[in-house]
Amino acid sequence: MKKYSVFSLAREALRYHSGWERAWASPDPKAEYDTIIVGAGGHGLATAYYLAKEHGITNVAVLEKGWLGGGNTGRNTTIIRSNYLQPESAAIYEKARGLYEGLSQELNFNIMFSPRGVMMLCQTQHELRAMQRTAHANRLAGIETEMVSPERVKEIVPIIEIDGPRFPVLGGLWQPRGGTARHDAVAWGYARGASARGVDIIQQCAVTGIDRDASGVTGVQTTRGPIRCKKLCIVVAGSSGVLADMAGFRLPVESVALQALVSEPVKPCMDCVVMANTVHGYMSQSDKGEMVIGGGADGFNNYTQRGSFQHLEETVRALIETFPMISRLKMLRHWGGIVDMTGDRSPIIGQTPVPGIFINCGWGTGGFKAIPGSGWATAEMLAKGTPGTLAAPFSLDRFTEGRMIDESVAAAVAH
Amino acid sequence: MSSRLATGGRRIDRSKRLSFSFNGTKLTGFEGDTLASALLANGQDLVGRSFKYHRPRGIVAAGAEEPNALVALGQGDRMEPNQRATITELFDGLSARSQNHWPSLQFDIGAINARLSRFLPAGFYYKTFMQPRAAWKHLFEPVIRKSAGLGPAPTQGDPDRYEYFYAHTDVLVAGGGIAGLAAARAAAEAGARVLLVEQDSRFGGRSATDGVVIDGTDAEAWVAEQVAALSAMPNVDLRLRTMAAGVYDHGYVTLYERAGDRDPGAAPVRHRLWRVRAGRTVTATGAIERPISFAGNDRPGVMLASAVRDYIDLYAVSPGDRTVVVTATDDGYRTALAVRDAGLDVPAVLDTRPDPKGPLVDAVRARGIRVEAGRGIAKVRGTRRVTGVDICAQAGEGAVIEHVPCECVAMAGGWSPVVHLWSHCGGKLLWDETAHHFRPDPDRPPTGADGQGFAVTAGTASGPMDTGAALADAVEAGHRAAKALGHDKGAPRIPQADGTADGPPAAVWMMPHGAGPELRGKAFLDFQNDVKVSDVQLAAQEGYQSVEHTKRYTTLGMATDQGKLSNINGLAILSDSLGAPIPEVGTTTFRPPYTPISLGAVAGEARGSLFKPVRRTPIHDWHADAGAVWEPVGDWRRPYCYPKDEESHRDAVNREITATRSGVGLLDASTLGKIIVSGPDAAAFLDLTYTNMMSSLKVGRCRYGLMCTENGFLFDDGVVVRLSEDSFLCHTTSGGSDRVHAWMEEWLQTEWWDLKVWTSNVTEQFGQIAIVGPKARSVLERLGGMDLSAEALPFMAMAEGTLGGIGVRIFRISFSGELSYEIAVPAGRARALWDMLLAEGAADGITPYGTEALHVMRAEKGYIMIGDETDGTVIPQDLNLGWAVSKKKSDFIGKRAMERSALTDPDRKQLVGLETEDPALVLPDGAHAVSGQTNRFGQQETLGHVTSTYWSPTLNRSIAMALVSGGSRRMGETLDFSLEDGRIAKARVVDPVFLDKDGERQNV
């Protein structure tokens, strides 16, 4: 792997950049791999990367039906935070956030992690109390957050209206080391890192069937032919139910479209991420200058990956009340991504009823922030054959045992 | 330099002079000008700076596809960034500023990026700015953010109004060019209701400028005739300045009407967002001309050929004295003719095709204009505007054959249908090998619920660029749309266009074909984002081979024009780099809106007081007059407390509690949810939805009920009253009534549709007043009309009657532990009753109290509050409410879930009371009890958390409730609560019922 640096950039400039090599290889699938990961999104690629890096397992293929990073990794609003309430969530999201901090250097690919801070507004007494609880939980979990006053909210986010007529801002939960990253770069950086360590990333290769015998999984059928494997890990977010069906089991997830939009770019006016849960909306400003806005998920199940309008108006109204200056900005584009929602809004990482098949899904509306931690924990599980400390609480059987990890109290809306 | 011609200008009215300003300079234009045409008429070629390299940018197009001419329009709270000058109608007093430069448009420091462009190829930022780690946040990113971003961010709220329109129509025609008009007429004459919208301020599109003749009349007259005919039809509605923005499932279309942009401050409505349900949508959206990729094609003065003739014909603007036309099509020759007809010079037409021929070519040659076949542009000369072009052989590598001085270059790269609306909702495209564009595949339209295509393309939007074919297609489309909806009066007549079709265009994706890296690095694809041919080639080389990867890696097509000019050229370059055919490479996804629409329009009227309107109880105004401090609860506002004079909130709460517990208090409980559940199966239904047995409740009696989710978690509570054998009144939490009602309906409609049950949310039909305290009964008795003795109305009973002349329903229930009556009264009589109670209770010092006193009093009694003691993870048993979970019923929602191992675990968190060692210390909300150990994650281990915590004036000490692991076994233990500053507060685990454990106060 050719190292990226300002020096290599200068060197290449002199020869019209003719010497840059492919960021990741594009091999044909082999007949068999030790481990196949289905889904080359952030989570799948990170899993492959950490399998190779942390566990030396490189006879691995990542199969992708479209183009890598083309699902929710490339559609989300790029928020990274770890201010979760429950200890289990706090542990894995904080692991992820910590890995994000050094990821550009580790991958030698600038993923532009920008710890510009995440502000979660409190706009009712109830929300204030809930956030106070979260702040206490975060402190004890070693996650740096603090409750801040409305005046401090205004100081950090000058464009905010804190004395709005309907839901004045009563305070905020501030995570100074949360922020955003360039979502595509996360996928590309992991792909490049995994590929350099020998992982085969195979795009345009849809899994059409899963082969199993009495002892468990034996391989997959794909649009590029059958591929055998010893272990199979399904990391396909909104399509998890479809893959589970091929493998012969059911998942407690529903797939719905989550809506997002961006405005036209403007000069910097807001550094941090602001989430307004009472009115339902969140917003940050990308390095390009676009206001990146997210809101609710559609109220019906589907797989279309399209934007629909009914949630946008609510989201935009909420944000205009919170940031009156955005009213004269223009919506550039809006879209949807299919998120896989579990009953407790926490992910599933674990074994499945089929021996040899593992799953990582259910990140719902908040998967991007978890990518490094999720990949790290999933790789550990695949390497050892059993979930480690971080992944263990998120097993599939928690639903049959009633061992929920419910985060809805901490984030009543989409993450 | 561009200038105004002495004559002509189809759209401008020279008798109406308008003054406007650009970057503070006063300029004038005419009525009918766009800001772009007026700027050009004033010689303002340089209008902005590009995004990445801050290169000088001029106007390149004349319509919605313009990528460069973005201005900050208006001032103060009416400033709008990034407005396209090409679609901005000029008005008197317009003020515009150019964007993305410092210190000035002429001299921009950021232009240093252009000098360094070789070092800043596509994606350079992914390869650098990584060391040291902190530098990204503190150094690199701030600089990048500042240099990006285009227009200034508004700083103030928006004073303008926006509104929604709703429309249902049979056929929606998007686009009012000749195809749209023809399609609309065909559909309307078939009998369909038609809504025709046009984004521009005129109908007719390009037809007049392009010299189209239909049915023997010139286009302008033909268009006027169509508009007149359509306007006269009762089933047709025509709208200008209205753009179809997005197409969604089931034929749902949003339209964006710029109703007040020409009249800022005076127009009653700035933008309207239309939400249309159309049986069929006809996309008559026309086509957009493609630029050509040659070095320096981004210089001010290089324009689309069609735009050049638009500016000449519509606005009498000369783009410069000498215009070189560079073309891959016959259509470019129309521009040459238009320029010459305006009395301007065309030094050469450079046709990339080896053997151009046909009537247009002949006409140009006949005018003595030099036509160079097989030629192209090696390079444009000039920095802030074009000074000339270097001509080369298109087939070669760019060796300069000749230098031709000129002020304008007109590019004619061929036309691409506007397929956005077709594609928004899943319509598929075909690659046309002859015309070199993607066009809608009529066999794969976006489909509705019935599986039928709901969109139809018309005119050039379908593919044919020849007027006659486009018109025939449009009439057929309009007819087909109407026919699909059952409207058919036979085949309509197809208007005939004069002239012959243009010859086939050439596919010119790089000029010259063999251009080396130097030229490719100056040939721009995306003018706004500064994406060059070399960038797309680099992306392909580095493995970003999917068109989506290329887009995201290079930012091609991600500018505010969303690739309207750049996408086809870009993906042709990509396809060439990959050695894959264009259709295999495919397009990026077309997302709504077609062009950006204001967020204000998306929000509509729901802002300020109309944003989530406050629900008001019938007694709301009294609270306001009494100086209530408000607390939002659901959509309501409830009084938090009623401070007197200088009283602190805490003092007010304590006073309200003491007055209630020692005398009598009054609470507006109208916000409580009230749902009537009736029908023969009502009792059976409630047995399924509540954990309690409700069927055993006697008529006239009340029971505290719990509702759980399928997972067994408690989500709402309230008192259920049996009004009659088959009707119940279910009280819910204030914030929960809509949710509970929807929950009931969901189960009734999807699971238990066989039950004969009707539910009705009557929350707002009744006011409800709680009169609470030892003197409550005497106050009511003095009002008279009902026997409220303990015998006549015992605890948990209901009585109906008249109180002081007002018909009421009285529930003897208590959320405070006091003797308490909740009086329901028709909403219109609630205020009268409230006033009556206040007057009658005055002698007893009757005291209205707010939500905080309510909370403290319920906590003193150990009563739970949904949302405080519950958080979606709590089952009734955790809250010592196992008694309310029926063991007799065979089923209820949550029953099976409660049997799961984690829900029967004795170490679950259970509700306990807490008494701090220091009675003056009120534990913080949400504080956690810690064990002093670390857990498996290395976090401090927690045992539980505070759910409610208050100062109790009644007990003169702090009280709290907490959910603590294995709590019921910990009675008497002292727990350590970690405070924010790390100190530990010790608290003893006690029974959560702090006051009157035997219920003597209410049992009187």
Side-chain angles (χ1 to χ4, degrees):
Chain A
M1 186 171 86
K2 187 169 187 162
K3 192 169 178 331
Y4 291 159
S5 71
V6 68
F7 306 107
S8 61
L9 199 60
R11 227 173 10 250
E12 282 300 325
L14 301 177
R15 49 171 171 162
Y16 296 103
H17 302 280
S18 58
W20 292 117
E21 50 189 42
R22 298 176 61 101
W24 52 82
S26 189
D28 286 327
K30 293 190 282 192
E32 178 165 6
Y33 292 90
D34 290 339
T35 301
I36 287 178
I37 295 165
V38 186
H43 293 260
L45 292 166
T47 299
Y49 173 79
Y50 290 115
L51 259 184
K53 178 182 173 247
E54 301 286 338
H55 306 283
I57 298 171
T58 57
N59 187 19
V60 174
V62 186
L63 309 184
E64 169 55 49
K65 74 173 170 187
W67 38 282
L68 68 87
N72 295 342
T73 302
R75 292 164 192 267
N76 67 85
T77 50
T78 81
I79 297 168
I80 293 166
R81 63 182 179 89
S82 60
N83 52 353
Y84 279 70
L85 177 65
Q86 312 290 359
E88 299 87 350
S89 321
I92 195 163
Y93 287 105
E94 177 63 6
K95 171 77 179 177
R97 201 202 57 77
L99 288 170
Y100 264 129
E101 287 205 326
L103 201 55
S104 293
Q105 292 73 30
E106 174 171 351
L107 297 175
N108 179 236
F109 198 101
N110 192 352
I111 60 131
M112 302 180 202
F113 174 63
S114 177
R116 293 186 272 133
V118 173
M119 180 73 77
M120 295 177 88
L121 301 180
C122 305
Q123 292 177 284
T124 66
Q125 293 288 344
H126 178 256
E127 195 171 29
L128 192 61
R129 289 195 292 271
M131 290 294 178
Q132 281 164 345
R133 178 181 166 196
T134 303
H136 283 292
N138 288 163
R139 182 170 45 79
L140 296 169
I143 294 165
E144 191 191 331
T145 62
E146 60 172 318
M147 290 299 298
V148 295
S149 66
E151 295 70 35
R152 179 82 180 115
V153 170
K154 179 78 181 168
E155 219 173 277
I156 296 170
V157 193
I159 61 170
I160 205 167
E161 170 69 83
I162 58 169
D163 300 317
R166 190 62 177 89
F167 294 108
V169 173
L170 306 176
L173 180 67
W174 170 237
Q175 181 171 26
R177 300 179 77 174
T180 58
R182 176 88 182 92
H183 54 7
D184 294 322
V186 172
W188 300 341
Y190 274 124
R192 177 165 167 264
S195 178
R197 283 173 171 76
V199 170
D200 283 359
I201 299 166
I202 302 160
Q203 302 182 79
Q204 305 297 332
C205 178
V207 170
T208 54
I210 293 176
D211 300 332
R212 47 185 286 196
D213 61 19
S215 64
V217 69
T218 58
V220 291
Q221 298 292 324
T222 78
T223 48
R224 295 175 69 173
I227 312 175
R228 292 190 305 279
C229 68
K230 300 188 179 77
K231 287 179 187 168
L232 180 69
C233 189
I234 298 171
V235 198
V236 294
S239 299
S240 295
V242 179
L243 268 287
D245 191 47
M246 288 181 198
F249 60 93
R250 281 175 64 90
L251 285 173
V253 297
E254 295 190 337
S255 290
V256 295
L258 180 70
Q259 301 296 331
L261 66 127
V262 291
S263 76
E264 292 184 338
V266 287
K267 292 294 178 190
C269 62
M270 186 171 92
D271 284 334
C272 67
V273 178
V274 175
M275 312 183 72
N277 290 350
T278 290
V279 294
H280 286 246
Y282 46 95
M283 184 167 93
S284 63
Q285 187 175 21
S286 73
D287 285 343
K288 267 192 87 184
E290 297 157 335
M291 307 311 291
V292 183
I293 292 174
D298 285 350
F300 47 91
N301 297 353
N302 79 88
Y303 291 106
T304 58
Q305 296 190 311
R306 280 203 292 270
S308 65
F309 206 79
Q310 56 270 37
H311 262 295
L312 292 189
E313 55 192 48
E314 285 176 19
T315 302
V316 169
R317 284 169 189 169
L319 290 171
I320 289 178
E321 285 304 296
T322 315
F323 308 98
M325 47 72 67
I326 67 167
S327 175
R328 291 178 95 85
L329 298 185
K330 294 191 282 294
M331 174 167 78
L332 180 58
R333 62 195 266 127
H334 74 91
W335 66 93
I338 302 303
V339 296
D340 42 338
M341 310 286 280
T342 61
D344 60 359
R345 301 295 182 260
S346 285
I348 299 168
I349 308 174
Q351 287 142 316
T352 70
V354 182
I357 301 186
F358 298 80
I359 193 154
N360 173 332
C361 71
W363 293 95
T365 60
F368 177 71
K369 65 175 78 67
I371 285 172
S374 159
W376 192 92
T378 308
E380 184 188 31
M381 171 175 71
L382 288 172
K384 296 181 179 166
T386 173
T389 310
L390 279 183
F394 297 99
S395 65
L396 187 52
D397 58 15
R398 78 172 185 275
F399 298 97
T400 46
E401 293 168 10
R403 203 169 25 78
M404 308 305 207
I405 305 166
D406 199 306
E407 285 293 338
S408 53
V409 60
V413 295
H415 295 215
Chain B
M1 207 159 128
S2 54
S3 61
R4 183 82 74 183
L5 297 164
T7 56
R10 201 180 286 276
R11 281 194 175 185
I12 54 169
D13 179 350
R14 291 179 194 252
S15 70
K16 291 186 182 147
R17 199 171 275 275
L18 305 175
S19 71
F20 69 104
S21 77
F22 181 69
N23 288 342
T25 306
K26 290 273 174 224
L27 303 169
T28 57
F30 294 123
E31 177 83 26
D33 262 326
T34 62
L35 175 57
S37 68
L39 285 171
L40 287 172
N42 283 278
Q44 188 68 46
D45 309 306
L46 176 62
V47 292
R49 293 274 174 171
S50 63
F51 194 87
K52 182 172 169 187
Y53 300 141
H54 289 241
R55 286 170 70 92
R57 286 290 180 257
I59 294 161
V60 69
E65 66 275 24
E66 172 64 34
N68 289 344
L70 304 181
V71 297
L73 194 66
Q75 290 170 313
D77 56 7
R78 289 203 157 83
M79 189 277 291
E80 177 190 10
N82 303 333
Q83 180 58 12
R84 280 152 295 158
T86 50
I87 61 158
T88 303
E89 292 175 59
L90 196 68
F91 56 85
D92 206 44
L94 179 150
S95 144
R97 278 172 295 142
S98 54
Q99 303 184 150
N100 206 33
H101 47 66
W102 186 86
S104 72
L105 178 57
Q106 288 296 321
F107 178 78
D108 178 14
I109 290 279
I112 186 124
N113 289 359
R115 297 260 170 227
L116 297 172
S117 65
R118 197 157 154 190
F119 296 91
L120 312 176
F124 74 97
Y125 30 72
Y126 299 121
K127 293 174 177 152
T128 182
F129 302 139
M130 285 179 275
Q131 302 295 345
R133 186 197 283 190
W136 175 253
K137 180 188 172 188
H138 296 290
L139 177 64
F140 302 129
E141 188 182 36
V143 171
I144 289 175
R145 279 172 85 80
K146 221 174 160 174
S147 66
L150 291 180
T155 56
Q156 304 170 48
D158 186 346
D160 284 332
R161 271 195 59 196
Y162 301 83
E163 67 184 17
Y164 287 167
F165 262 26
Y166 295 85
H168 289 77
T169 187
D170 293 329
V171 177
L172 171 70
V173 181
I178 53 172
L181 292 167
R185 187 141 187 201
E189 284 178 350
R193 281 179 305 149
V194 175
L195 173 61
L196 168 68
V197 297
E198 165 55 48
Q199 61 181 355
D200 200 354
S201 58
R202 313 283 175 100
F203 291 106
R206 308 196 44 78
S207 55
T209 299
D210 287 355
V212 168
V213 175
I214 306 169
D215 290 341
T217 55
D218 70 76
E220 196 163 306
W222 186 85
V223 166
E225 187 190 313
Q226 301 309 309
V227 171
L230 286 166
S231 301
M233 297 174 80
N235 55 336
V236 176
D237 197 3
L238 305 176
R239 287 274 173 167
L240 288 170
R241 302 183 177 89
T242 305
M243 174 188 80
V247 175
Y248 303 89
D249 286 316
H250 306 161
Y252 180 64
V253 183
T254 53
L255 311 178
Y256 178 58
E257 182 178 2
R258 296 167 64 216
D261 273 350
R262 287 158 300 147
D263 213 1
V269 170
R270 181 166 178 244
H271 297 150
R272 263 184 210 112
L273 188 82
W274 289 59
R275 298 126 73 80
V276 181
R277 294 276 176 192
R280 289 290 183 277
T281 295
V282 175
T283 65
T285 43
I288 291 177
E289 192 169 27
R290 296 189 293 271
I292 298 176
S293 305
F294 48 84
N297 62 347
D298 65 321
R299 293 298 179 198
V302 181
M303 300 171 80
L304 295 177
S306 55
V308 168
R309 52 181 199 270
D310 279 342
Y311 286 113
I312 291 173
D313 177 72
L314 300 176
Y315 309 107
V317 167
S318 153
D321 289 356
R322 294 168 292 185
T323 296
V324 168
V325 175
V326 56
T327 183
T329 67
D330 287 357
D331 190 56
Y333 289 79
R334 291 195 177 90
T335 297
L337 291 172
V339 171
R340 178 56 67 85
D341 287 347
L344 301 167
D345 191 29
V346 180
V349 172
L350 309 176
D351 195 325
T352 62
R353 298 171 296 181
D355 184 22
K357 52 178 178 280
L360 278 165
V361 180
D362 295 343
V364 164
R365 284 197 168 115
R367 302 289 291 276
I369 297 172
R370 173 181 164 200
V371 173
E372 290 285 343
R375 294 282 188 259
I377 292 173
K379 197 176 176 189
V380 172
R381 299 263 192 98
T383 305
R384 287 197 189 138
R385 79 150 299 126
V386 174
T387 58
V389 293
D390 290 342
I391 298 177
C392 65
Q394 168 57 21
E397 294 173 47
V400 179
I401 296 168
E402 181 186 349
H403 175 72
V404 176
C406 63
E407 287 73 40
C408 175
V409 178
M411 310 177 272
W415 290 82
S416 300
V418 173
V419 297
H420 298 63
L421 298 178
W422 174 265
S423 301
H424 282 168
C425 201
K428 299 290 185 288
L429 304 176
L430 284 174
W431 176 253
D432 188 314
E433 293 289 351
T434 313
H436 312 297
H437 60 218
F438 278 106
R439 61 179 165 83
D441 180 348
D443 295 332
R444 293 183 297 165
T447 51
D450 57 359
Q452 300 297 307
F454 63 74
V456 184
T457 61
T460 53
S462 301
M465 294 300 149
D466 155 50
T467 304
L471 272 174
D473 180 75
V475 170
E476 200 272 332
H479 180 241
R480 188 149 49 96
K483 193 173 172 182
L485 301 167
H487 302 282
D488 189 10
K489 291 183 184 161
R493 196 191 80 83
I494 293 170
Q496 298 302 307
D498 286 8
T500 55
D502 290 358
V508 178
W509 309 122
M510 184 64 224
M511 178 177 279
H513 182 75
E518 178 75 41
L519 295 181
R520 291 199 308 261
K522 298 282 182 220
F524 284 77
L525 293 165
D526 188 315
F527 298 122
Q528 188 183 118
N529 273 358
D530 288 319
V531 181
K532 308 164 306 258
V533 168
S534 58
D535 292 319
V536 170
Q537 289 171 326
L538 177 61
Q541 171 190 331
E542 293 194 86
Y544 298 91
Q545 296 177 334
S546 151
V547 63
E548 287 283 356
H549 281 158
T550 301
K551 164 188 153 180
R552 288 155 183 258
Y553 190 63
T554 63
T555 73
L556 175 80
M558 290 172 77
T560 60
D561 63 309
Q562 293 282 285
K564 290 188 179 67
L565 295 187
S566 61
N567 272 353
I568 300 289
N569 287 350
L571 68 92
I573 296 290
L574 178 64
S575 126
D576 182 56
S577 307
L578 298 174
I582 288 175
E584 210 167 278
V585 172
T587 66
T588 53
T589 312
F590 294 90
R591 301 283 189 194
Y594 173 58
T595 71
I597 67 176
S598 64
L599 292 178
V602 176
E605 283 157 322
R607 58 176 65 208
S609 60
L610 295 179
F611 170 73
K612 289 190 192 288
V614 175
R615 292 176 84 177
R616 294 159 178 266
T617 75
I619 310 165
H620 186 95
D621 291 345
W622 187 92
H623 304 314
D625 292 344
V629 174
W630 297 107
E631 173 182 0
V633 178
D635 288 339
W636 303 95
R637 266 189 204 168
R638 300 190 73 181
Y640 175 85
C641 63
Y642 304 86
K644 284 183 172 171
D645 305 324
E646 300 298 302
E647 204 177 30
S648 71
H649 293 183
R650 181 171 158 166
D651 288 346
V653 170
N654 290 342
R655 174 179 52 75
E656 291 167 11
I657 293 168
T658 306
T660 303
R661 291 227 185 266
S662 63
V664 59
L666 206 56
L667 175 81
D668 179 3
S670 306
T671 60
L672 273 184
K674 308 167 199 78
I675 298 168
I676 301 277
V677 176
S678 58
D681 295 323
F685 173 64
L686 294 185
D687 276 350
L688 287 166
T689 45
Y690 282 89
T691 62
N692 319 61
M693 182 81 86
M694 289 299 176
S695 52
S696 61
L697 186 61
K698 292 189 170 55
V699 173
R701 294 286 158 163
C702 310
R703 184 166 288 164
Y704 174 65
L706 304 176
M707 292 183 133
C708 289
T709 63
E710 301 101 308
N711 273 314
F713 299 127
L714 183 56
F715 85 96
D716 209 89
D717 68 349
V719 170
V720 176
V721 188
R722 190 159 200 169
L723 300 175
S724 68
E725 201 49 45
D726 62 358
S727 76
F728 293 80
L729 170 63
C730 301
H731 289 105
T732 76
T733 58
S734 289
S737 67
D738 295 345
R739 188 173 60 228
V740 170
H741 187 225
W743 173 256
M744 287 177 166
E745 281 298 321
E746 182 178 346
W747 284 94
L748 277 175
Q749 292 178 31
T750 63
E751 298 289 335
W752 302 321
W753 41 267
D754 53 329
L755 293 185
K756 292 190 173 63
V757 176
W758 295 268
T759 70
S760 175
N761 189 341
V762 296
T763 300
E764 288 179 338
Q765 274 60 52
F766 291 93
Q768 196 140 316
I769 299 167
I771 180 163
V772 180
K775 294 181 182 166
R777 184 180 287 144
S778 80
V779 173
L780 294 184
E781 282 173 347
R782 294 205 297 274
L783 278 181
M786 292 173 74
D787 181 359
L788 299 171
S789 64
E791 297 70 35
L793 186 62
F795 187 54
M796 297 306 269
M798 183 269 286
E800 289 176 329
T802 28
L803 201 60
I806 297 176
V808 296
R809 197 182 264 156
I810 302 185
F811 315 105
R812 192 169 156 204
I813 53 180
S814 179
F815 198 40
S816 58
E818 298 297 329
L819 172 66
S820 163
Y821 301 88
E822 291 206 9
I823 309 167
V825 54
R829 302 290 283 153
R831 175 66 193 272
L833 180 65
W834 177 267
D835 290 342
M836 208 183 293
L837 288 166
L838 278 178
E840 195 57 54
D844 295 311
I846 195 165
T847 302
Y849 64 90
T851 50
E852 187 66 0
L854 167 89
H855 284 172
V856 177
M857 288 195 280
R858 65 91 195 169
E860 289 173 339
K861 277 294 291 179
Y863 293 145
I864 65 134
M865 178 68 79
I866 295 291
D868 287 342
E869 275 65 42
T870 67
D871 61 5
T873 67
V874 175
I875 59 175
Q877 293 85 342
D878 299 340
L879 303 176
N880 313 315
L881 295 172
W883 59 266
V885 181
S886 169
K887 297 184 180 56
K888 294 182 196 151
K889 292 193 291 185
S890 62
D891 198 13
F892 60 85
I893 300 171
K895 179 179 169 72
R896 275 165 288 172
M898 286 177 194
E899 288 162 7
R900 293 179 295 180
S901 58
L903 278 70
T904 53
D905 183 348
D907 285 334
R908 282 184 67 79
K909 288 185 182 179
Q910 289 155 342
L911 187 72
V912 296
L914 294 174
E915 283 182 356
T916 46
E917 277 192 351
D918 172 6
L921 175 75
V922 179
L923 285 170
D925 267 307
H928 284 56
V930 292
S931 68
Q933 316 286 315
T934 52
N935 66 13
R936 58 192 153 148
F937 307 118
Q939 306 160 342
Q940 289 194 54
E941 186 180 62
T942 59
L943 303 172
H945 68 277
V946 172
T947 57
S948 290
T949 172
Y950 299 101
W951 175 257
S952 163
T954 317
L955 300 164
N956 197 32
R957 64 153 301 131
S958 73
I959 57 168
M961 290 194 273
L963 281 163
V964 175
S965 174
S968 56
R969 300 196 309 272
R970 292 180 187 266
M971 286 298 151
E973 270 184 44
T974 297
L975 297 179
D976 290 343
F977 283 85
S978 170
L979 305 182
E980 214 167 316
D981 56 9
R983 280 182 306 129
I984 295 292
K986 291 192 177 295
R988 203 162 57 89
V989 176
V990 297
D991 185 335
V993 184
F994 294 94
L995 180 73
D996 187 23
K997 292 188 200 305
D998 299 327
E1000 288 169 3
R1001 298 174 73 96
Q1002 73 190 18
N1003 198 15
V1004 289

